[in-house]
Amino acid sequence: MSNLARTPAHLVGNAYVSALTGKATQLRDALIQQTLKDYASWERSIEENVIRRHPELRIGTQDYMQQVEVFRGQIGDAFDWVVPAFETFVTPDPDDIDPAIEMLGTIQGWFDGDVDTANNWTGANPALERVNLVGAEMVAGWKGSFTDNFIDHFVTPLATVLPNQRNLAQLVREQFTCNKVIYIQRRQSAMDLLDAAFYATQNLDNESDVDAAKWATIAAVAVGTTLGPFVAGWGIGLALMLDAGGTIAQGLVPDKEEKNAITRFNIGGRTTADVAANITTAISALERDTYSQEQQVANALRDITRVIESLRRPSLVSNTSGPFSLERSALADATATELTRNMQPKR
């Protein structure tokens, strides 16, 4: 696979889904057990699920105690949301982006080549290796205004447009790669959140190792002006792109104490109700941070589209060659008489 980012094995397919749901089930069970075992958690649960729901009952009466026992038997229902909440992190699958990344890599390869100091382009793709030869052969074998027009306004600019197309495919590919990295980080963050929540549940109000209950959302994707100058001085450096290389260098699944984490806080609490509330807040934070990173990718792609459009529009309106456009040559509209008169073999 030629894509720039590989999803770590533990975050791929069924292995990830099984680990995620398994940990979520353990967390749900731990929340239930701790609620029953921890006095403060039990008192808090009784207050929220019996007293507030049945204000007409006097504490200590037979009816009150019956409601307490009913709640005890149904306490699992209070945490039924845990597993479904974490199952939302099964999708999107980072590897679903691979086909687009692969295709962009293929397109990039089609336009691979080198440009020398004279702006002559030599393509790596056999289908395009004759770009420079065509001009040389026309100069050697033909004469007339159509010959000069075709060389000057189509063949020569083509040597500039082709590598620009390659760079464009590379830039778009990197933005898609960054999007994949975001989803990889999202999956790892969900697993880290489960670990932190499980620790916080089993160690209620424990200050001995507070770091173990801390958690961070995804790390910020690397940002840089990666659009760079194109051939012949054309550039689209106005836009701010995401740097896939920098992102991957920082690590696809950075440690949960990563300094570049967007949001971080403590999952711990005094009771299981506190921990449960912090878990739901953490899930919202992760989704919010993921969305903010997705928007960076969307903005990057919009910037690419905007800048390419601004470079193409003047060429299309004036029928001139530009960094991403080729002039319509005189040959395109020539009649048979014009072609015979303006493009003749050299004798």
Side-chain angles (χ1 to χ4, degrees):
M1 189 178 296
S2 60
N3 59 297
L4 299 177
R6 294 180 184 274
T7 306
H10 69 286
L11 299 177
V12 174
N14 290 333
Y16 169 73
V17 175
S18 178
L20 180 78
T21 55
K23 284 189 175 185
T25 300
Q26 290 177 353
L27 174 60
R28 180 201 62 198
D29 293 344
L31 285 166
I32 295 172
Q33 293 168 9
Q34 285 296 97
T35 300
L36 294 171
K37 183 172 66 174
D38 179 71
Y39 178 79
S41 295
W42 179 245
E43 288 294 306
R44 173 83 174 271
S45 296
I46 292 300
E47 180 182 352
E48 294 182 352
N49 293 278
V50 177
I51 298 176
R52 291 185 183 179
R53 294 183 181 183
H54 301 280
E56 75 282 2
L57 298 179
R58 292 180 58 187
I59 297 175
T61 63
Q62 183 176 359
D63 289 341
Y64 169 81
M65 296 306 299
Q66 287 178 344
Q67 287 298 324
V68 170
E69 291 307 310
V70 168
F71 170 66
R72 188 191 301 273
Q74 299 175 345
I75 190 171
D77 296 345
F79 298 104
D80 276 349
W81 58 269
V82 175
V83 176
F86 281 95
E87 285 178 335
T88 61
F89 294 106
V90 170
T91 56
D93 186 339
D95 290 343
D96 285 346
I97 304 176
D98 282 345
I101 295 175
E102 291 291 339
M103 178 52 68
L104 288 165
T106 300
I107 295 172
Q108 179 181 335
W110 289 344
F111 295 102
D112 273 338
D114 297 308
V115 180
D116 60 22
T117 55
N119 204 35
N120 292 318
W121 183 80
T122 303
N125 191 315
L128 296 175
E129 65 182 3
R130 286 182 53 79
V131 169
N132 293 319
L133 295 177
V134 168
E137 291 173 358
M138 290 189 70
V139 169
W142 296 86
K143 63 180 180 179
S145 60
F146 278 5
T147 301
D148 296 335
N149 175 273
F150 188 74
I151 294 173
D152 294 340
H153 298 277
F154 188 88
V155 177
T156 299
L158 184 60
T160 293
V161 171
L162 290 174
N164 282 350
Q165 296 286 2
R166 176 201 176 278
N167 291 347
L168 177 58
Q170 178 182 352
L171 291 172
V172 175
R173 181 173 178 240
E174 288 191 353
Q175 304 318 297
F176 275 79
T177 301
C178 285
N179 200 78
K180 178 178 179 178
V181 171
I182 290 168
Y183 293 151
I184 291 172
Q185 292 181 343
R186 179 175 180 267
R187 285 193 164 192
Q188 183 62 55
S189 288
M191 299 295 281
D192 291 342
L193 174 56
L194 281 166
D195 290 338
F198 188 79
Y199 176 87
T201 301
Q202 291 192 318
N203 295 271
L204 297 175
D205 204 19
N206 187 349
E207 299 296 332
S208 61
D209 189 10
V210 292
D211 288 342
K214 288 182 178 179
W215 172 81
T217 62
I218 61 175
V221 171
V223 179
T225 51
T226 63
L227 286 177
F230 283 92
V231 173
W234 283 301
I236 47 179
L238 298 175
L240 192 66
M241 299 294 103
L242 303 180
D243 181 3
T247 297
I248 294 170
Q250 292 178 9
L252 299 180
V253 285
D255 184 82
K256 58 184 174 181
E257 295 303 322
E258 169 67 42
K259 293 181 180 179
N260 291 331
I262 300 175
T263 306
R264 62 174 66 248
F265 53 84
N266 195 336
I267 307 298
R270 193 177 66 87
T271 67
T272 53
D274 296 328
V275 174
N278 287 339
I279 292 171
T280 58
T281 301
I283 290 175
S284 297
L286 177 51
E287 296 292 41
R288 183 173 58 251
D289 289 350
T290 301
Y291 176 77
S292 72
Q293 294 293 278
E294 288 175 324
Q295 286 304 298
Q296 287 200 54
V297 173
N299 290 337
L301 293 172
R302 278 192 288 266
D303 282 342
I304 291 176
T305 302
R306 174 183 56 78
V307 176
I308 298 302
E309 180 184 3
S310 69
L311 291 172
R312 282 175 53 84
R313 188 184 302 110
S315 296
L316 295 176
V317 171
S318 61
N319 189 31
T320 57
S321 295
F324 293 96
S325 306
L326 291 172
E327 178 181 335
R328 184 179 178 87
S329 68
L331 282 172
D333 304 307
T335 64
T337 301
E338 291 173 332
L339 185 62
T340 302
R341 183 173 62 248
N342 297 305
M343 188 174 181
Q344 302 174 0
K346 289 184 177 179
R347 297 288 188 254

